[in-house]
Amino acid sequence: MTPTNLAGILLFLIITTLLAYPLGEYMALVFTDQKTFLTPVVQPVENVFYRICGIDEKQEMSWKTYAFCLLLFSLVSLIGLFLIQILQGHLPFNPEKFKGVKWDLSFNTAVSFMTNTNWQNYAGETTMSYFTQMLGLTVQNFVSAAAGIAVLIAMIRGFIRKTSNTIGNFWIDLTRCTLYVFLPLSIILALILVSQGVVQTLGPYVKAHTLEGKTQTIAVGPAASQIAIKQLGTNGGGFFNANSAHPYENPTTFTTFLELLSEFLIPVALVFTYGAMVKERKQGWAVYWAMMALCLVGILTALYFETQGNPILKKAGVAHGTNMEGKEVRIGVMPSVLWSVITTDTSTGAVDSMHDSMTPIPGLIQIFNMAIGEAIFGGVGSGLMMMIFYALITMFIAGLMIGRTPEFLGKKLGPYEMIMTSVGLLSSPITLLIFSAIAISLPAGLSALTNHGPHGLSEILYAYASTANNNGSAFAGLNSNTLFYNLTLGFAMLIGRFTTLIPGLAVAGSLAKKRLTPATTATLRSDTLLFVVMLISVVIVVGALTFLPPLTLGPFLEQLMMHAGRTF
Amino acid sequence: MQEGHSNEKSAWQPATFKRSTALRKKTESIWDPALIKPALRASFTKLNPRTLWKNPVMFIVEIVSVMTTLITIKNIFIHHPFWFDFQISLWLWLTILFANFGEALAEGRGKAQSDSLKAMRSQTYAVKILENGQTEKIPSLSLKKGDKVLVEKDDLIPGDGEIIEGVALVDESAMTGESAPVVRESGGDKSGVTGGTKVLSGRIVVKITTNPGESFLDQMIAMVESAKRQKTPNEIALEIMLVAMSIVFIVVCATLLPFAKYMSVNVGIPVLVALLVCLMPTTIGGLLPAIGIAGMDRLLRCNVIALSGRAVEASGDVNVVLLDKTGTITLGNRMASEFLPAEGVDIKNLAESAMLASLADDTPEGRSIVALAKTILGKRGGEIQAPESSEFIAFTAETRISGVNIGKRMIRKGASDAIAGTVREDGSLPEDIQQVVDQVAREGSTPLVVSDGNQILGVVRLKDTLKTGIKERLSYLRGMGIKSVMITGDNPLTAATIAAEAGIDDFVARCTPEMKLEKIRKWQSDGNLVAMIGDGTNDAPALAQADVAVAMNAGTQAAREAANMVDLDSNPTKLLDIVEVGKQILITRGAITTFSITNDVAKYFAIIPAVFAAKYPALNILNIMKLNTPESAIISAIIFNAIVIPMLIPLALRGVRYRFTSAAALLEMNLLIYGLGGILFPFLGIKLIDMLLHIL
C-alpha cells in the first residue's frame, strides 16, 4: 500500500461524492415532481408514454398495488427475456447465427437481468445475438435498475408522508427514472466510452489474419451502449465474457476510472436523494458516512492483504511475491482491488480482474460485502433500502435503550415493521447459507468446483452470496452453467430481489399510514455520530454472527494455510 | 399563601427515588424465601410445552434439549461415551429452568404486591345498611351495586351512587374543580354523588350504583400473571426480532454441518445444539416475560393500577400532558391570600372580624382565612378563642352567607351580592368596595366581602394556591421533552397568571369538555402522544381519547372507566412515576437484548476453534481465551449462557435505572455498559468457568 495508492483511492472517493451530491439533489427533484433543467425536453416524451399506456399521472397507489405492478412488470420482463433467448435463432440482428439458448440457461439469464443481478452463466460473445444483447439484456439493464430506484423512492415516501394510504405510482417512478436519470447519463457515458475505443457496431465479428498466417475471430458488437448502463445501473453483466477486463469493454486507464466512477455514482447519489427527500440532508450524510466507513475499511483491508502478495511466490522469488494472477497488467493491482471492493459494495458485479485469483482476505471482504445484503451503497435503490432496514433495526434497539417506543424519522416502529425488516434483512443470508450447504453436499454442486478445500467453499459461498444479494459478479472457478446451478442460482436471485423490495414496500405502506411524531429533546436523532457508529456496528455484528462459521472455514482458513505454505 | 413552597424547592427528584427505595425496603428483597419456593416449583411446571410455546425462543431451546437428551440416552444404551452429551443436555435444561424461574419470581412478586394492595385498600370502610335496618362497617371495596350506605359529616362517600335519604353539603372540588361546596339531596336532579367526595355537613343514605375498584385490581392481577398477560406491541416487535435471529442461527448451525463435512470435520449434533443455544438470544428470550411482569409490579408499588401494559409503555413516549388546573397545579380549594380593607378600616380590624366569622367554618376557605388572619394579627393557635357569647351562623346554599353573632356584633362574610343584600336596602355596595371586588374577580381570584352590622369592613381575596413543588415537577417534565398544558375553566387572564406562576408551557382557558376533546385530537393528529389526568365525569370523553389516561381513584366512575390507569393515591403528579416505569421496561428490554447479542462474539471464539482446531490446528489462533480442551470450551460457553440468566434476574426485576438525561447521553451510557460490556464480559466469564472446570 503506497501513498500513491491511497491518494488515488481518496481522490476517487472524493470525485464520486462531488458528482453524486448534485445528482442526488437532481433525482430528489425528479421524484418529487418538480421542474429540472431537463423537464422541457423530457416531459413531452414522458407524456407520450403515459398517453400510450393510459397512465393517469395523478393516480397514486397503495403499497400493495405498487408491489403488484412491480411483480407484474418483473414477470413480463422475465417471460419476454426468456423467449427472446430461446427464439434468438429466428430473430434479426444475429450475424453470427447463434442458436436459441438452452432453457435452463435462458431461465437463469432472464432472472439474472430482470433482478438487476446480471450473473452470467454464459459468455456473451459466443452465446447471445445482437438482438438479444440490445433488446433483451440492455433493456433489462435499464428497467431493472429503474425498478429498484422506483421502489426505494416509494419507501422514502413512506417516511415523509403522514396518514396517507399511498406511496406513489410505480409506472410514473419507473418512467421518470429511466427518462430523467438513466438515459441522459448513459448517452453521455456511452459517447465517452466510444471515444476511448469501446466498440459499438452492428457488424459481424472481425476476422483478423495473424502474423503466423492464422485467422482470428475478434468479437465486436454494440458494446458501448450496453456497458454504459451496465455500470450506471449497477448491473454488471458484461457484453463480453471477460467483462471490464476485456480491452473492448475497458480499453484505457481513463475508462477504468470512468467505469468505476459510473458504477459508484448513482448508489452514492441516492443517499443524498434520500436526505433531500426527507428534507433533512444530515440524515443522508449520516447514512453516507456509515456506508463510506464500511467501504473504506473494505478497500484498505483488501488492498493491504493483496499488496502483501503471496508468501509462496515470494519464497520462490517470483515477481517479488506480487499476486498478478487473474489481473490485467495494464490495469494493475490497486485499481483491480479497488474495483473488486466497489463492485461488491455496489452490487454491480462488473469485474476488471478475476476475484478468484486474489489472495483469500480480499475474497473474504468481497463475500462479506455481498453477504450483508449489499448495503454498502449497494445496488441502485435496493442497496439503500437494505441500509434502511439496518437503520430500522438499529433504531429499534437504540429506541428501547432510551425508553421510548422505537422510531425512525418520526415514524414509530411496531411489530409489522419488525416482521418486514426481518424478512428484508434475513432472507438473503438464509438463502445463501441453505443453497450453499445444499450445493456443497451434492455431487451436482461439487462437480462444478475446480478447486477444493477452503477455496472450494469460498467459490460456492461467493456464487450464492453474489446471486442471493443480486450482485452478479462471479468468483470464477465455478463452472456454473449446469442445470443444478442455473436453477438454484436463479432461485437465489429471485428470492434475493423480491424479499428486499416487497418488504421495503410493505414497510413504506405501513409507515405512510402513521402519524409523524414531532422531534423533541427526548427524540433520539439519527443524524449523529453516535447513530453512524451504531449503524456500522449493527451491520458488522449481524454480518459477522451470520457468516462467521463458513467464512472461517473458507477464506480465513485459506489465508492461514497460505502462510503455512498450502494453496488450493 | 405558599406554604412550604420555597423550602421544598428541589424536593421532587429525590422524593421519587426516596419513595421508590422506601418501597423497596418495605417489600421483601428479590430473594425472599417465601417467594423462592413457589417460584422453584413453577419453574418445572412451566416446562410444559403447551405453556412454553408462548415464549418462542425458550421453546426452541426445549426442543433441542429433548434432542440432545435423547441422543445421550441412546449413547448410554449403546455403551458409547455419553458424559459430554449429558453435560450439554443438563445445562440446556437448566437454561430453560432459569428462565422459567425468573418469570415465576416476577409473577410471585406481582401477586404478593396486588394481594397486599387489596388488603390495604379494604381498610377504608363504609357503613353499610343491612336489610334489617342495622348497620355494619365493611371495606369500601366490597361494596356492590345496590348496597345502601350511611354517610355522615366528614366521611368520604365510598362510591358513586344516589342519595335516597337526607340532604348534605358536599365538597366535590376533587371531582369537578368547583371550589364551593354543593348541596346534594334526595329526590330531584341533585341526588347523584360521586365516590371520593366528602360530606361537609349533613347525614345521607346513599344507594351505590356501581361496583367500585374491585375490577381494576382483578385486571391488574391478570397483568402480573404470565398466562393471562397481553403482550404489548413493543414486546411483540422485540419478540419478532428475537425469533428472526433464532431462525438465522438455526440455519447457521444446521448449514455448518455440511460445510464441516465438506472440510472433513464431523460435528456431533450435541455440539451444534450447544452452539445454537449459545448464539440464540436466550438471555433476553428467557427474561422477556419477567421484565414485563416486573414492570407492572413496580407500577403497582407506586399505587398505580394499569389496565393495559400498552398504555404504560406508551407513557414513555408522551410529549404532551394535559393537567387540570384545580387539584393538580393548584390546591383546588381557594385560600385567603390578602385582606383588602375598605377605606378608613384598619386591616387588623378586618382580619380579626373575618377570623371570628370563620372560626366555626371548617371548610378549607374558612380555615385559610383564620390562618391568614393569625399571621396578620401575630397570634398563635392557642390564643384564638371565640368569645363565650358567640352564636355561629352556618353557611347555607340559600343565604350564601356565614358568620357569627357576638352579643350585638353581627359579623358576616359571603359573596359580594349576598352581603350587599343584607347591608343595604338597594342591595348595592359602596363604590370603592365594588371596585376592589371587580378588580379581584378580574384577576381570577374570588372576592369575599366581610361586614360588621351595617358596615362593610373590606374584601378577602380568595386565591388558588399552587401545589407544593409543582414548579419543579413541571420543569422536570420539560427536561424529558414533555410539554405541559394547563386546562382550566378560568378566564385567560387568571389562567395566564397561574401558568406563569407554575411555569407551565401552555394553557387552555375557558375550557369546556368539548374543547378538551378537540384539543387532544388536534395534538394527536400532529403526531403527539397525549397524556391526561382526570377525575370528573366531564373528563371522561377526553380521557378516552388520550393515549395515556390516568384517573384518580377518588374520581368518578365514568372517569375511571374511560382511563387506562387508575392512581390509588389520587396524586396527579403520579404521571411522572408512570413515565419512569414505562421507560424502565423498555430500557431493560433493550439493554438485555444488546447484552444478549453482543455476548455471541465471545461464544464464537470459544466454540469455533473447539470444533475445528483438531483438524485445522491453524485455527487455534481463534482460541484467544486459551481454553483448556475443546470439550471444556464448549461446556464453559453453555454454562456461561445458562447462568447469565439468573445473574440478570435482579436486573430484570428491578429494571435498568432511568436517568433523566438527554436521549443521546442515555444511549451512550447503556451502549457502553450493555454493548461493550456484553462483548467483554463473556470472555472473562467463559475463561473463569473453563479454569474452574479444569480445577474440578
Side-chain angles (χ1 to χ4, degrees):
Chain A
M1 245 195 316
T2 63
T4 332
N5 279 345
L6 294 180
I9 290 166
L10 224 53
L11 192 69
F12 166 71
L13 297 177
I14 291 171
I15 292 176
T16 312
T17 308
L18 287 178
L19 290 172
Y21 190 83
L23 178 61
E25 292 282 332
Y26 166 78
M27 284 194 281
L29 291 181
V30 169
F31 293 115
T32 49
D33 212 2
Q34 294 176 63
K35 249 189 152 50
T36 66
F37 70 99
L38 279 183
T39 310
V41 188
V42 180
Q43 201 166 41
V45 186
E46 193 189 342
N47 288 337
V48 169
F49 278 106
Y50 297 154
R51 219 167 307 133
I52 294 172
C53 303
I55 294 165
D56 178 4
E57 229 184 310
K58 297 273 172 302
Q59 189 159 8
E60 288 269 326
M61 294 176 177
S62 70
W63 83 262
K64 282 180 187 156
T65 317
Y66 204 104
F68 175 75
C69 292
L70 169 76
L71 288 173
L72 184 72
F73 181 72
S74 301
L75 184 69
V76 170
S77 298
L78 180 68
I79 295 171
L81 194 50
F82 180 77
L83 290 178
I84 289 177
Q85 292 176 73
I86 295 273
L87 303 173
Q88 72 172 358
H90 309 286
L91 295 169
F93 299 109
N94 189 3
E96 300 303 315
K97 309 272 174 273
F98 290 128
K99 290 200 194 81
V101 182
K102 226 176 130 241
W103 75 269
D104 55 324
L105 180 59
S106 287
F107 164 75
N108 185 284
T109 308
V111 169
S112 176
F113 278 73
M114 177 272 279
T115 57
N116 196 247
T117 313
N118 308 56
W119 172 273
Q120 293 169 297
N121 269 346
Y122 63 91
E125 58 268 50
T126 57
T127 320
M128 300 296 176
S129 73
Y130 291 164
F131 185 90
T132 311
Q133 294 264 29
M134 289 193 304
L135 274 150
L137 305 183
T138 306
V139 166
Q140 281 309 313
N141 272 341
F142 273 98
V143 293
S144 69
I149 294 184
V151 173
L152 169 73
I153 298 299
M155 190 188 194
I156 296 174
R157 288 195 190 109
F159 287 103
I160 46 185
R161 293 194 176 178
K162 39 189 173 179
T163 53
S164 159
N165 283 317
T166 58
I167 53 171
N169 181 316
F170 175 72
W171 307 117
I172 308 262
D173 291 339
L174 185 75
T175 313
R176 287 231 168 109
C177 187
T178 311
L179 293 181
Y180 282 87
V181 182
F182 283 125
L183 264 181
L185 283 173
S186 297
I187 291 169
I188 297 168
L189 184 63
L191 289 177
I192 302 177
L193 288 176
V194 168
S195 81
Q196 292 294 312
V198 177
V199 293
Q200 178 76 11
T201 171
L202 286 177
Y205 292 172
V206 178
K207 296 258 190 288
H209 298 280
T210 63
L211 289 174
E212 291 112 43
K214 290 179 180 153
T215 14
Q216 187 187 354
T217 310
I218 299 171
V220 292
S225 55
Q226 188 176 330
I227 292 157
I229 188 62
K230 156 198 142 191
Q231 299 297 113
L232 284 166
T234 62
N235 290 288
F239 191 89
F240 304 109
N241 190 33
N243 213 305
S244 282
H246 193 292
Y248 280 177
E249 271 202 50
N250 177 21
T252 65
T253 308
F254 180 58
T255 54
T256 306
F257 173 79
L258 212 58
E259 288 181 15
L260 200 49
L261 175 72
S262 51
E263 73 179 50
F264 205 32
L265 185 64
I266 295 180
V268 179
L270 281 168
V271 177
F272 298 121
T273 306
Y274 154 77
M277 283 183 74
V278 301
K279 295 203 172 61
E280 277 184 70
R281 286 173 176 77
K282 280 179 84 181
Q283 301 285 355
W285 280 108
V287 172
Y288 169 86
W289 283 117
M291 289 174 161
M292 195 45 101
L294 286 163
C295 176
L296 206 57
V297 169
I299 294 171
L300 295 181
T301 315
L303 191 61
Y304 172 78
F305 282 98
E306 192 61 16
T307 48
Q308 292 287 301
N310 187 332
I312 301 170
L313 288 179
K314 209 177 268 176
K315 212 181 278 172
V318 179
H320 306 292
T322 309
N323 179 24
M324 283 305 290
E325 185 196 314
K327 296 190 186 68
E328 285 281 286
V329 175
R330 68 200 166 85
I331 295 173
V333 175
M334 189 279 270
S336 299
V337 174
L338 178 61
W339 184 300
S340 79
V341 176
I342 298 290
T343 201
T344 46
D345 274 342
T346 60
S347 135
T348 306
V351 292
D352 71 347
S353 65
M354 298 302 119
H355 295 178
D356 194 33
S357 302
M358 288 198 181
T359 49
I361 297 299
L364 187 149
I365 301 280
Q366 293 153 13
I367 297 174
F368 187 83
N369 283 344
M370 296 185 290
I372 57 161
E374 291 291 3
I376 309 172
F377 295 108
V380 285
S382 57
L384 182 53
M385 288 181 76
M386 214 60 187
M387 194 47 110
I388 291 176
F389 284 140
Y390 276 110
L392 292 178
I393 290 276
T394 307
M395 288 307 270
F396 183 77
I397 297 174
L400 289 182
M401 281 208 283
I402 60 159
R404 281 171 70 94
T405 298
E407 56 184 60
F408 182 57
L409 298 177
K411 296 285 190 170
K412 292 227 184 307
L413 308 175
Y416 187 77
E417 285 76 29
M418 284 320 284
I419 292 180
M420 289 306 163
T421 304
S422 300
V423 173
L425 271 185
L426 302 175
S427 304
S428 300
I430 289 175
T431 312
L432 190 180
L433 288 172
I434 291 179
F435 275 134
S436 301
I438 293 172
I440 214 152
S441 313
L442 294 179
L446 287 169
S447 62
L449 284 177
T450 49
N451 297 286
H452 293 281
H455 197 77
L457 178 58
S458 298
E459 283 175 353
I460 287 184
L461 282 176
Y462 194 107
Y464 289 102
S466 174
T467 46
N469 295 288
N470 304 116
N471 179 284
S473 68
F475 214 33
L478 186 72
N479 302 319
S480 49
N481 185 12
T482 64
L483 184 64
F484 173 79
Y485 278 107
N486 276 332
L487 292 183
T488 55
L489 293 172
F491 283 117
M493 290 186 271
L494 283 175
I495 296 171
R497 173 78 163 179
F498 294 105
T499 57
T500 306
L501 299 193
I502 304 293
L505 287 173
V507 167
S510 161
L511 291 184
K513 284 199 191 93
K514 298 193 177 187
R515 298 184 295 199
L516 208 58
T517 313
T520 66
T521 50
T523 309
L524 187 67
R525 300 203 56 86
S526 54
D527 55 4
T528 57
L529 180 64
L530 183 64
F531 171 75
V532 172
V533 171
M534 249 195 113
L535 182 57
I536 294 172
S537 313
V538 167
V539 172
I540 293 177
V541 168
V542 170
L545 292 183
T546 317
F547 300 109
L548 198 115
L551 288 180
T552 307
L553 289 180
F556 185 70
L557 182 58
E558 192 187 350
Q559 170 79 9
L560 295 174
M561 293 174 112
M562 182 178 80
H563 279 275
R566 284 193 63 193
T567 52
F568 297 90
Chain B
M1 204 172 77
Q2 309 230 334
E3 47 174 11
H5 188 203
S6 52
N7 55 13
E8 277 182 55
K9 208 150 213 162
S10 58
W12 194 76
Q13 181 176 1
T16 33
F17 292 125
K18 231 183 278 163
R19 173 145 32 94
S20 39
T21 42
L23 277 165
R24 259 173 229 145
K25 259 181 223 154
K26 191 182 78 187
T27 51
E28 334 63 42
S29 82
I30 282 173
W31 307 111
D32 180 6
L35 294 176
I36 297 276
K37 235 188 237 167
L40 278 176
R41 210 174 312 124
S43 313
F44 285 92
T45 53
K46 279 172 187 287
L47 285 176
N48 186 345
R50 268 178 301 182
T51 53
L52 196 65
W53 74 270
K54 282 190 181 172
N55 185 346
V57 174
M58 294 324 283
F59 186 60
I60 297 171
V61 178
E62 184 166 50
I63 293 173
V64 294
S65 304
V66 170
M67 270 167 60
T68 54
T69 310
L70 289 177
I71 290 172
T72 312
I73 293 171
K74 189 191 99 187
N75 283 343
I76 294 174
F77 275 105
I78 61 172
H79 301 288
H80 270 241
F82 64 85
W83 180 235
F84 178 65
D85 296 350
F86 172 77
Q87 287 182 77
I88 291 180
S89 310
L90 177 74
W91 284 104
L92 291 182
W93 285 110
L94 282 174
T95 310
I96 310 171
L97 287 173
F98 288 153
N100 286 350
F101 178 71
E103 184 181 325
L105 197 58
E107 277 179 9
R109 283 160 59 80
K111 254 185 242 164
Q113 186 64 27
S114 48
D115 285 348
S116 71
L117 202 63
K118 244 181 166 174
M120 189 192 77
R121 283 287 301 151
S122 34
Q123 277 159 17
T124 61
Y125 291 100
V127 181
K128 184 179 167 187
I129 300 170
L130 301 174
E131 297 284 324
N132 54 17
Q134 300 222 299
T135 58
E136 187 195 13
K137 237 182 167 188
I138 61 159
S140 308
L141 277 175
S142 59
L143 282 176
K144 292 193 180 57
K145 197 170 165 181
D147 285 349
K148 288 173 197 161
V149 290
L150 179 69
V151 191
E152 289 177 296
K153 186 168 180 286
D154 289 341
D155 283 350
L156 280 179
I157 295 173
D160 289 4
E162 208 180 334
I163 300 177
I164 48 174
E165 210 182 298
V167 55
L169 194 62
V170 181
D171 175 6
E172 291 193 341
S173 61
M175 307 293 110
T176 56
E178 188 62 50
S179 327
V182 291
V183 175
R184 293 280 179 252
E185 57 191 337
S186 59
D189 58 358
K190 282 186 173 176
S191 65
V193 286
T194 40
T197 54
K198 192 177 178 186
V199 173
L200 295 179
S201 70
R203 185 176 186 274
I204 48 174
V205 175
V206 177
K207 188 174 163 192
I208 299 295
T209 51
T210 49
N211 293 322
E214 196 74 59
S215 59
F216 294 144
L217 270 175
D218 288 341
Q219 283 196 40
M220 189 72 199
I221 290 164
M223 308 231 4
V224 293
E225 263 173 49
S226 181
K228 294 182 200 155
R229 200 170 59 98
Q230 281 250 317
K231 289 176 186 166
T232 64
N234 277 324
E235 194 176 352
I236 294 169
L238 179 58
E239 204 158 63
I240 288 166
M241 196 183 96
L242 298 181
V243 169
M245 285 176 61
S246 302
I247 292 172
V248 169
F249 287 131
I250 290 173
V251 173
V252 168
C253 293
T255 55
L256 188 56
L257 198 65
F259 291 145
K261 201 171 159 210
Y262 164 82
M263 297 298 291
S264 322
V265 177
N266 260 322
V267 191
I269 298 287
V271 171
L272 278 180
V273 165
L275 177 63
L276 172 65
V277 174
C278 279
L279 293 178
M280 276 190 359
T282 47
T283 315
I284 179 63
L287 292 173
L288 197 53
I291 295 170
I293 295 167
M296 291 299 139
D297 172 43
R298 279 201 302 280
L299 202 58
L300 211 45
R301 274 156 213 259
C302 293
N303 277 346
V304 174
I305 295 180
L307 308 182
S308 91
R310 189 185 189 137
V312 178
E313 287 176 22
S315 64
D317 302 340
V318 159
N319 34 21
V320 175
V321 174
L322 294 195
L323 299 166
D324 259 333
K325 187 197 82 177
T326 313
T328 310
I329 295 163
T330 63
L331 285 170
N333 296 308
R334 295 167 303 179
M335 299 289 208
S337 67
E338 201 181 352
F339 290 115
L340 302 160
E343 232 171 284
V345 178
D346 181 22
I347 190 165
K348 292 206 169 170
N349 183 11
L350 171 62
E352 189 185 13
S353 305
M355 184 182 74
L356 287 172
S358 307
L359 276 178
D361 183 353
D362 220 13
T363 62
E365 288 169 26
R367 286 198 301 267
S368 76
I369 292 175
V370 175
L372 183 64
K374 278 189 217 163
T375 55
I376 286 190
L377 298 171
K379 288 188 178 170
R380 298 238 209 109
E383 299 163 27
I384 310 281
Q385 243 167 19
E388 291 282 318
S389 58
S390 300
E391 182 199 330
F392 291 104
I393 315 290
F395 178 89
T396 67
E398 288 77 43
T399 60
R400 291 181 298 143
I401 283 177
S402 64
V404 64
N405 293 339
I406 307 166
K408 283 190 181 156
R409 261 184 102 184
M410 283 165 49
I411 308 174
R412 297 286 181 274
K413 67 174 167 57
S416 56
D417 49 338
I419 292 286
T422 64
V423 176
R424 285 198 184 182
E425 299 278 308
D426 62 348
S428 71
L429 287 170
E431 191 77 358
D432 60 323
I433 294 294
Q434 187 63 49
Q435 266 178 16
V436 173
V437 164
D438 288 349
Q439 176 65 25
V440 169
R442 247 199 317 280
E443 285 167 16
S445 303
T446 310
L448 202 64
V449 180
V450 182
S451 64
D452 187 348
N454 282 338
Q455 191 197 3
I456 303 248
L457 295 175
V459 177
V460 182
R461 183 201 288 269
L462 295 177
K463 197 181 146 193
D464 264 353
T465 349
L466 289 189
K467 281 194 141 183
T468 317
I470 188 72
K471 220 170 167 173
E472 288 69 38
R473 282 167 238 206
L474 290 175
S475 75
Y476 230 36
L477 280 178
R478 201 169 308 120
M480 292 162 92
I482 301 173
K483 178 175 158 184
S484 54
V485 180
M486 182 177 81
I487 298 289
T488 173
D490 293 339
N491 63 54
L493 190 70
T494 319
T497 315
I498 302 257
E501 215 176 306
I504 214 136
D505 292 319
D506 199 359
F507 63 85
V508 184
R510 293 225 171 86
C511 191
T512 61
E514 296 77 49
M515 272 171 74
K516 250 187 234 187
L517 192 62
E518 208 177 287
K519 274 276 177 189
I520 292 179
R521 287 212 176 110
K522 196 189 162 298
W523 276 310
Q524 284 176 334
S525 72
D526 290 343
N528 294 296
L529 236 76
V530 182
M532 176 177 165
I533 301 169
D535 44 21
T537 302
N538 58 13
D539 286 335
L543 281 171
Q545 178 71 30
D547 301 284
V548 176
V550 185
M552 304 288 105
N553 191 47
T556 60
Q557 184 69 16
R560 282 184 297 195
E561 269 169 17
N564 41 34
M565 270 176 246
V566 176
D567 175 20
L568 297 179
D569 297 339
S570 299
N571 171 6
T573 45
K574 201 55 94 48
L575 191 74
L576 283 163
D577 297 275
I578 299 170
V579 168
E580 193 182 333
V581 170
K583 282 185 183 287
Q584 265 192 326
I585 296 175
L586 298 188
I587 295 176
T588 310
R589 277 194 207 126
I592 299 183
T593 303
T594 309
F595 186 79
S596 194
I597 296 170
T598 47
N599 270 348
D600 284 359
V601 177
K603 292 170 190 163
Y604 261 135
F605 278 98
I607 295 180
I608 291 291
V611 176
F612 294 105
K615 172 86 184 173
Y616 300 101
L619 286 176
N620 254 324
I621 64 160
L622 289 180
N623 185 7
I624 52 176
M625 284 174 275
K626 302 271 173 273
L627 304 176
N628 278 303
T629 62
E631 283 78 19
S632 79
I634 293 166
I635 298 288
S636 303
I638 193 108
I639 292 179
F640 175 85
N641 188 61
I643 62 170
V644 84
I645 295 177
M647 278 167 72
L648 290 177
I649 285 178
L651 181 74
L653 295 194
R654 274 197 215 111
V656 173
R657 212 173 111 185
Y658 173 66
R659 290 169 175 83
F660 293 85
T661 63
S662 77
L666 194 63
L667 178 62
E668 255 171 62
M669 193 181 56
N670 286 334
L671 275 179
L672 215 60
I673 299 173
Y674 301 99
L676 198 60
I679 292 180
L680 299 179
F681 180 62
F683 279 104
L684 189 74
I686 293 173
K687 177 67 186 171
L688 277 177
I689 294 169
D690 182 68
M691 283 161 69
L692 271 177
L693 287 179
H694 191 61
I695 294 166
L696 297 175

